[in-house]
Amino acid sequence: MKAMRACTLWLLIGAVAASCKKEETSQAAYPPGYQPYPPATHQPLPPATGTDPPPATGPGPAPAPTAPAPGPTAQAVMGLPCAYDTDIACPFARCINGRCGGCASSEHCKPGAACLATPLGLACMPSGAQVPPPGPTAAPTTTAHPAPTTPPAPTATTPPAPTDPYAALRARCLDRTNQYRQSGSQAALARRSNAEGCADGAARSDADTKTPHGSFRKCNEAAQNECPGWQGTPEQVLDSCLKMMFDEGPGDGPAHGHYRNIMDPAFRSVACGVHIASDGSVWIVQNFYR
């Protein structure tokens, strides 16, 4: 019995020794500092600093992939080995922890690139690139744009009522005068609006003094015709007075002076002044200008 127990004890010791020897042989097969990839703990990529990292100072553990980012693909691309951002292997991504290509956010990409989902995972790609995510591609949505609206047409504005109570009579005075000039093949006169106020003052002054042509030359006119204190409506007075002046006909004597003023080819414009006296009499002045 004791011999059997001793034999069993030696068998157990031998088995343990063999197991330890096998464990030592297995560990000795790996080089010093070896760590299988990927490591058990995933470390997030450090934020980009915009500068190249210093060269590596010897072999070290393999870089840890980025932390999963939200979106259709959570795992970053493993990337390529690198030493600087300017390495040819890093056209769009920064060199972080010895690798470039994979990303967790656009901060890990160079200017002009963005962290996009690719069939292999998150990677730095040109910002204008369209990389379809893995799986079925959703149909592109079309943004509806409102139809261009036609601006409303400008509304016609009614000109304000003229403040000049004799505006229509002045226009009538010009038209009648030009009709007579046309009958004698003379050029039409222009309306001298800027002198009409002065012509009104001349008609008022003559009515107050009861003196026809008493204000002649006060408006710098070259000649003057006047209807002094006629009775009737202003329109009737104007038409009758101008006809009487034109009917004087051509001639050299004073009796033809009104006709000569109406038909004088040297005149270019006329200002018609109007005043209604307190007794209802109408005073109309025609001032002619060269």
Side-chain angles (χ1 to χ4, degrees):
M1 180 63 72
K2 289 182 179 181
M4 185 178 295
R5 289 180 179 177
C7 182
T8 302
L9 180 60
W10 280 109
L11 288 175
L12 289 174
I13 293 173
V16 171
S19 175
C20 293
K21 184 177 182 180
K22 183 178 182 181
E23 176 75 13
E24 291 173 359
T25 304
S26 176
Q27 289 294 337
Y30 297 111
Y34 175 82
Q35 184 179 9
Y37 188 86
T41 303
H42 296 266
Q43 299 294 330
L45 293 172
T49 60
T51 58
D52 294 337
T57 57
T66 61
T73 305
Q75 182 66 41
V77 172
M78 181 173 64
L80 300 173
C82 63
Y84 302 96
D85 284 358
T86 55
D87 284 356
I88 193 173
C90 308
F92 308 117
R94 298 182 184 277
C95 183
I96 300 175
N97 288 347
R99 287 187 178 270
C100 64
C103 60
S105 69
S106 295
E107 293 181 353
H108 303 149
C109 305
K110 293 181 179 179
C115 188
L116 302 177
T118 70
L120 301 178
L122 295 176
C124 290
M125 302 291 292
S127 57
Q130 300 294 332
V131 181
T137 303
T141 58
T142 303
T143 304
H145 297 282
T149 57
T150 303
T155 57
T157 57
T158 303
T163 57
D164 181 5
Y166 302 122
L169 189 66
R170 299 186 205 280
R172 189 185 187 99
C173 177
L174 178 66
D175 291 342
R176 291 286 189 270
T177 303
N178 282 332
Q179 288 171 7
Y180 289 125
R181 287 177 66 88
Q182 185 178 7
S183 68
S185 300
Q186 298 299 330
L189 299 176
R191 180 175 173 179
R192 200 176 185 92
S193 302
N194 61 345
E196 290 172 348
C198 185
D200 286 348
R204 184 185 307 107
S205 176
D206 290 353
D208 293 341
T209 61
K210 306 297 183 186
T211 306
H213 303 294
S215 60
F216 179 53
R217 298 283 188 177
K218 290 186 177 180
C219 297
N220 298 320
E221 68 274 16
Q224 185 184 78
N225 285 351
E226 186 168 9
C227 307
W230 285 39
Q231 297 294 326
T233 66
E235 292 76 16
Q236 292 171 345
V237 171
L238 175 68
D239 292 347
S240 299
C241 182
L242 291 183
K243 183 178 184 305
M244 185 195 72
M245 293 176 181
F246 182 76
D247 288 345
E248 292 176 0
D252 295 332
H256 306 280
H258 296 102
Y259 176 87
R260 289 197 303 269
N261 289 341
I262 292 174
M263 303 300 292
D264 194 330
F267 295 150
R268 297 289 182 264
S269 61
V270 63
C272 297
V274 184
H275 176 69
I276 309 298
S278 58
D279 61 359
S281 60
V282 180
W283 294 70
I284 299 176
V285 170
Q286 281 186 305
N287 288 339
F288 295 90
Y289 296 86
R290 290 189 175 89

